[in-house]
Amino acid sequence: MSTEAVESQQVVVESDYDSPTWRQLSDFSVAVTGNNFPSHASYADLRLSSVRDMGSVARADRKIVEGEFGYVLEDVPHFTDYLPDLPTYPNPLQDNPAYSVVKKYFVNEDDTVPQKIVVQKNSPRGIHFRRAGPRQRVYYEPEDVYACIVTCGGLCPGLNTVIREIVCGLSYMYGVKKIVGIQGGYMGFYSRNTIPLTPKSVNDIHKRGGTILGTSRGGHDAIKIVDNIQDRGINQVYIIGGDGTQKGASVIFEEIQRRGLEVAVAGIPKTIDNDIAVIDKSFGFDTAVEEAQRAINAAHVESESVENGIGVVKLMGRFSGFIAMYATLASRDVDCCLIPESPFYLEGRGGLFEYIEKRLKENGHMVIVVAEGAGQELIADSIRSMGHEDASGNKLLLDVGLWLSQKIKNYFTSRQRMTINLKYIDPTYMIRAIPSNASDNVYCTLLAQNAVHGAMAGYTGFTVGVVNGRHTYIPFYRVTEKRNKVIITDRMWARLLSSTNQPSFLSAEYIEEIKTPREPPK
Ligand SMILES: Nc1ncnc2c1ncn2[C@@H]1O[C@H](COP(=O)(O)OP(=O)(O)O)[C@@H](O)[C@H]1O
Ligand SMILES: O=P(O)(O)OC[C@H]1O[C@](O)(COP(=O)(O)O)[C@@H](O)[C@@H]1O
Ligand SMILES: [Mg+2]
């Protein structure tokens, strides 16, 4: 992702400073001198901050280490936090011919990655995350590992690649033999049989879309899931899924910790919408943007082949319009992009209809990209049926693409304003179901391998993710407490507006309001 996109995430993060959660974190944090953090073996001596989150992850213990110049490490849990006397073993990678020639293959225990890379002379060093990667000592003998993998939530390109690379990483790097897949999402822990996974059985799966394990929404019962983990003797749990899944993983981790089990819980964030906080980008996003070009091209070809042609393309994005924004910026054929973060209106001065009329008169055709979560309030006004949820508790959306297409048709046919030719394309599930592209495949591989390195090194209760280009271990609460959204006061959205020339749909008062600076952090 571009620097600009990284900047957008930082704007989101800055707002954390105002939240009660942040103030509580500071109150409970553990201060250390300088930045010589204790290695994880001595973390048992540190007081776990036990901050009770105000939001959705209600019982997350937080492990905060402060250093000089405003340095803060938001660390992830480690076995030694609650099981102090575990034996450790040399990392088998040191004898692996592929790695033995690599200088500094093991990650320095003190390496951390800053969340904010744009700084000023006097700004505090800010929040950091533990750098991901292989450690010199591991907490499992290969023959003792019994790992499982589960995929939850909606589909996303790259799921099979992550599964494949966890299996291959565990097998080839650490010599692990016992790996199973949990079928059909969280509920599969207690309602379905497991399937054995070997490098041979997963060899070709990255070439297929979907997930070979199946997935589901709903059905998260932490007690039943952990009972099942315990009964089977599973000691590494790899959980691939979005924000809902990571919340579920956090609850599972807490139950495992409460029972004092030596079971590592590692999350790999998945969301085609790219709405997971903190991380630079989620896997599958690039593939989705690329595939969306095919739909936009089709809409363009259709619309320019007829008089007053309008192509409407609906793309995914329940709460965040990243796919729509990037697909629009990539295409250059889009005249208007509508996303959930930017409210719009249809009629009157500066409205969508006026703009469509102008573009058709100027250019004879136009393409509109609309993210599925855009304009939901407008639709609710005319349809009156909001508030339904799916099995995971996600808001069910009304079809903005169909609604918008109908509204445009009605407007232009009423009072015989203009004869238009509108074609509506909904490629959403076609985009989601494809295999990941080359760059996402590499990305999935690194995420999977780093998840494996973290679990083998005794870290647990973490999500693996890229922050400012570096792989890190992020505590669950950080990726679940808020969603990554397009910031419409950022330069990236301004670039989009100037590339499409569409109206901003914002009133002068609203622009003033959102520009008002927030209070600086204390
Ligand atoms: N707050 C939560 N606590 C525990 N489990 C949750 C929570 N939210 C969602 N889940 C579980 O996570 C799984 C996937 O969630 P969902 O929202 O469908 O997809 P995603 O993980 O992609 O956001 C479901 O099985 C759901 O029951
Ligand atoms: O029809 P489904 O399977 O519920 O999925 C629809 C939703 O899945 C998404 O792709 C995102 O899903 P996740 O939260 O599972 O990543 C949204 O864009 C879309 O609204
Ligand atoms: Mg979600």
Side-chain angles (χ1 to χ4, degrees):
M1 186 182 282
S2 64
T3 320
E4 289 77 15
V6 173
E7 281 168 15
S8 352
Q9 293 184 357
Q10 284 162 356
V11 176
V12 179
V13 168
E14 275 169 9
S15 65
D16 290 0
Y17 286 98
D18 298 332
S19 73
T21 312
W22 170 256
R23 279 194 289 275
Q24 283 202 351
L25 274 178
S26 319
D27 293 346
F28 281 82
S29 60
V30 182
V32 296
T33 319
N35 60 356
N36 299 318
F37 333 114
S39 72
H40 51 65
S42 57
Y43 267 125
D45 303 333
L46 291 178
R47 181 168 47 103
L48 272 184
S49 52
S50 293
V51 174
R52 299 295 171 220
D53 185 8
M54 321 293 285
S56 43
V57 188
R59 295 186 50 242
D61 284 348
R62 299 190 173 190
K63 197 163 149 185
I64 312 290
V65 180
E66 289 183 350
E68 280 179 359
F69 310 112
Y71 173 95
V72 176
L73 166 63
E74 292 207 10
D75 207 357
V76 293
H78 190 270
F79 284 154
T80 49
D81 296 335
Y82 63 99
L83 298 168
D85 301 316
L86 293 175
T88 64
Y89 312 92
N91 191 325
L93 273 175
Q94 70 183 30
D95 306 319
N96 185 318
Y99 296 98
S100 53
V101 290
V102 179
K103 254 199 205 165
K104 290 186 122 192
Y105 185 68
F106 296 113
V107 168
N108 185 322
E109 280 302 329
D110 288 348
D111 281 358
T112 62
V113 179
Q115 181 171 25
K116 189 168 175 169
I117 46 164
V118 179
V119 290
Q120 294 85 39
K121 201 166 61 176
N122 298 322
S123 54
R125 291 172 68 197
I127 294 170
H128 291 62
F129 299 109
R130 193 166 277 284
R131 185 177 176 192
R135 301 319 205 236
Q136 255 162 350
R137 313 248 353 136
V138 295
Y139 280 72
Y140 298 88
E141 298 235 62
E143 58 273 19
D144 293 341
V145 175
Y146 185 7
C148 76
I149 307 172
V150 63
T151 51
C152 310
L155 293 183
C156 175
L159 283 165
N160 279 336
T161 313
V162 176
I163 297 169
R164 182 188 192 278
E165 296 308 322
I166 293 173
V167 175
C168 293
L170 279 167
S171 309
Y172 297 143
M173 294 193 294
Y174 289 98
V176 171
K177 298 256 177 325
K178 272 162 54 187
I179 311 165
V180 292
I182 306 294
Q183 299 188 74
Y186 278 132
M187 59 182 78
F189 271 104
Y190 51 86
S191 64
R192 305 271 289 272
N193 289 327
T194 58
I195 48 173
L197 298 171
T198 61
K200 195 161 177 232
S201 72
V202 298
N203 188 41
D204 273 344
I205 63 171
H206 60 297
K207 295 174 189 164
R208 275 183 258 160
T211 156
I212 57 153
L213 301 177
T215 184
S216 66
R217 299 196 189 272
H220 184 281
D221 183 328
I223 301 296
K224 278 191 190 160
I225 292 171
V226 178
D227 282 350
N228 188 278
I229 289 170
Q230 210 172 351
D231 291 349
R232 289 179 195 272
I234 288 170
N235 54 16
Q236 289 188 2
V237 185
Y238 295 93
I239 302 178
I240 312 167
D243 55 342
T245 306
Q246 304 300 316
K247 284 177 195 161
S250 177
V251 180
I252 291 172
F253 159 68
E254 284 158 24
E255 181 57 23
I256 282 173
Q257 194 186 30
R258 197 185 63 75
R259 297 188 194 184
L261 306 176
E262 192 188 346
V263 177
V265 180
I268 296 101
K270 166 248 42 160
T271 157
I272 199 167
D273 296 348
N274 197 30
D275 60 357
I276 295 190
V278 182
I279 62 174
D280 290 357
K281 182 175 62 174
S282 47
F283 72 80
F285 176 70
D286 275 355
T287 307
V289 170
E290 202 173 294
E291 187 66 8
Q293 301 304 303
R294 289 176 2 115
I296 294 172
N297 281 343
H300 187 236
V301 169
E302 287 285 346
S303 66
E304 71 173 353
S305 307
V306 291
E307 205 182 332
N308 291 331
I310 303 176
V312 176
V313 178
K314 184 176 80 170
L315 296 177
M316 278 187 166
R318 207 194 291 258
F319 302 104
S320 309
F322 287 105
I323 299 182
M325 178 167 83
Y326 276 82
T328 296
L329 278 164
S331 145
R332 311 283 156 169
D333 284 334
V334 180
D335 301 276
C336 187
C337 172
L338 303 169
I339 59 169
E341 295 89 335
S342 178
F344 66 94
Y345 55 93
L346 301 176
E347 309 208 22
R349 260 193 88 154
L352 182 65
F353 293 154
E354 183 191 76
Y355 176 61
I356 296 177
E357 206 162 334
K358 179 170 152 271
R359 277 309 282 157
L360 290 180
K361 281 182 184 151
E362 282 168 2
N363 211 26
H365 68 275
M366 79 177 294
V367 175
I368 301 173
V369 162
V370 58
E372 62 178 331
Q376 288 296 309
E377 278 69 31
L378 275 183
I379 312 175
D381 282 350
S382 53
I383 301 183
R384 312 213 143 275
S385 60
M386 292 261 286
H388 299 296
E389 291 180 345
D390 69 14
S392 293
N394 300 307
K395 189 169 89 175
L396 282 178
L397 301 180
L398 301 160
D399 191 329
V400 64
L402 279 177
W403 173 85
L404 185 65
S405 301
Q406 200 53 53
K407 282 279 179 192
I408 295 171
K409 280 183 195 163
N410 292 349
Y411 176 80
F412 284 101
T413 47
S414 72
R415 290 195 247 144
Q416 288 157 349
R417 278 192 179 90
M418 202 183 250
T419 307
I420 59 151
N421 233 308
L422 186 145
K423 300 284 185 291
Y424 172 45
I425 302 180
D426 178 353
T428 46
Y429 290 110
M430 294 185 70
I431 288 176
R432 206 169 73 161
I434 62 169
S436 46
N437 67 12
S439 80
D440 271 325
N441 266 340
V442 175
Y443 185 26
C444 290
T445 304
L446 296 189
L447 285 172
Q449 290 191 355
N450 280 311
V452 168
H453 292 314
M456 289 300 297
Y459 291 107
T460 178
F462 68 85
T463 299
V464 62
V466 175
V467 177
N468 295 319
R470 294 295 186 153
H471 284 258
T472 64
Y473 299 133
I474 308 165
F476 283 137
Y477 64 84
R478 263 282 159 194
V479 288
T480 55
E481 65 194 357
K482 65 172 44 152
R483 267 197 192 97
N484 190 19
K485 287 186 179 238
V486 174
I487 311 287
I488 59 168
T489 48
D490 251 15
R491 276 196 290 279
M492 205 60 191
W493 186 243
R495 283 185 190 110
L496 180 135
L497 293 181
S498 67
S499 102
T500 59
N501 251 319
Q502 70 190 68
S504 76
F505 302 110
L506 300 177
S507 66
E509 296 81 53
Y510 184 72
I511 293 174
E512 252 338 284
E513 194 189 310
I514 54 181
K515 272 186 164 173
T516 313
R518 289 170 173 278
E519 269 191 29
K522 296 222 163 64

